[in-house]
Amino acid sequence: MALLEASDLSLGYDSRYIVKGLDFSVNSGDFLCIVGENGSGKTTLMKTLLGLIKPFGGQILTGDGLKKKDIGYLPQHTALQKDFPASVREIVLSGCQGRFAFRPFYGKAEKQLAFENMRRMGIEELKDSCYSKLSGGQQQRILLARALCAAEKLLLLDEPVSGLDPKVTAQMYELIRDLNKEGLTIIMISHDINAAVRYASHILHMGVTCFFGTREEYLKSDTGKLFLMLKRGGEACA
């Protein structure tokens, strides 16, 4: 069975449907990119996968023993997050909260995991720094390290490079790609269609017409060809 499978899924909020009859699956080791225009339901889908909101219809099935505590989540970066008054170590360590049931403290294993993920993100030397004093790129690495502390089997990313400059954006995409190459399953919302078709193994396109398939199938589909043409045409005119 797939790690995660959506069947005949209907999504929305405030009694308003955004999408109906959505079907897709994610296997262990996949890198699924979710693309589409603003308002097509991408973030609503991710919140549904996290169990933060309920679908209007259909079901989400999990396999391979996947549980909520096995899922790491990096939401869109907000102004509130940028000003969070805590040390890098405290923020990364907080990602381990789901790992100890009723213990009121972090153990040696959680502290070691937090340090290992800081090392993976190249921020171990910042461990005692104040998060709010760091650059946007450094903050995203910190939040990604935090998400990795929870990501036993699956990592969800909601536009992880939003607001970053081109150099830092490229570095973040390389970090995410490397995590996937190490075997971590990734679902990422991206407004950057070029990055999506470069890094993803599978594409879920949400909109008036929905598409799910491999990257190669998407590039050959009418939906993919049209979206790529519109996006790249808009960038050329910008």
Side-chain angles (χ1 to χ4, degrees):
M1 181 181 177
L3 185 66
L4 186 150
E5 184 174 357
S7 176
D8 197 26
L9 202 62
S10 294
L11 307 173
Y13 53 86
D14 296 334
S15 300
R16 174 178 170 266
Y17 280 88
I18 300 176
V19 63
K20 295 182 180 180
L22 189 63
D23 296 294
F24 67 91
S25 60
V26 180
N27 293 311
S28 294
D30 283 354
F31 189 157
L32 173 66
C33 266
I34 305 173
V35 302
E37 297 292 352
N38 292 338
S40 60
K42 300 187 296 295
T43 296
T44 300
L45 171 59
M46 187 159 285
K47 289 180 178 179
T48 304
L49 296 178
L50 287 163
L52 300 176
I53 58 177
K54 293 183 178 180
F56 285 178
Q59 59 183 341
I60 298 172
L61 304 173
T62 57
D64 197 24
L66 180 66
K67 299 182 176 67
K68 285 185 179 180
K69 68 179 184 63
D70 300 326
I71 302 174
Y73 174 46
L74 178 61
Q76 291 187 44
H77 212 186
T78 65
L80 181 62
Q81 288 173 327
K82 293 177 183 178
D83 295 329
F84 200 72
S87 71
V88 170
R89 189 202 324 256
E90 289 171 329
I91 288 178
V92 176
L93 195 53
S94 69
C96 297
Q97 288 178 353
R99 290 179 174 268
F100 52 92
F102 299 106
R103 272 192 287 124
F105 55 86
Y106 296 106
K108 182 178 180 180
E110 288 84 33
K111 292 176 181 178
Q112 181 60 38
L113 179 63
F115 180 79
E116 175 61 21
N117 284 320
M118 285 189 281
R119 186 195 62 76
R120 290 169 82 185
M121 294 297 102
I123 55 171
E124 66 270 31
E125 294 182 359
L126 299 174
K127 62 183 183 297
D128 296 318
S129 301
C130 180
Y131 172 82
S132 62
K133 304 297 183 183
L134 300 175
S135 70
Q138 289 171 324
Q139 289 183 344
Q140 280 298 80
R141 284 174 180 254
I142 292 161
L143 294 177
L144 184 52
R146 179 185 186 277
L148 287 173
C149 286
E152 285 266 331
K153 296 182 178 180
L154 178 62
L155 178 63
L156 304 185
L157 307 169
D158 191 348
E159 297 195 3
V161 301
S162 179
L164 302 181
D165 65 48
K167 180 179 179 180
V168 177
T169 292
Q171 291 171 346
M172 282 295 294
Y173 278 137
E174 293 297 318
L175 281 172
I176 294 166
R177 181 194 63 180
D178 289 345
L179 290 171
N180 180 243
K181 284 187 173 181
E182 291 171 11
L184 185 61
T185 307
I186 293 174
I187 300 177
M188 180 177 77
I189 293 174
S190 179
H191 67 277
D192 185 345
I193 187 62
N194 293 318
V197 297
R198 179 179 180 182
Y199 295 107
S201 63
H202 294 75
I203 303 286
L204 173 61
H205 181 112
M206 298 182 66
V208 176
T209 300
C210 291
F211 171 94
F212 170 71
T214 65
R215 172 181 55 199
E216 291 75 17
E217 289 169 342
Y218 182 69
L219 290 172
K220 294 176 182 177
S221 70
D222 292 339
T223 300
K225 289 177 181 178
L226 178 60
F227 195 63
L228 281 161
M229 181 183 68
L230 291 174
K231 282 292 184 180
R232 289 172 175 171
E235 291 167 1
C237 295

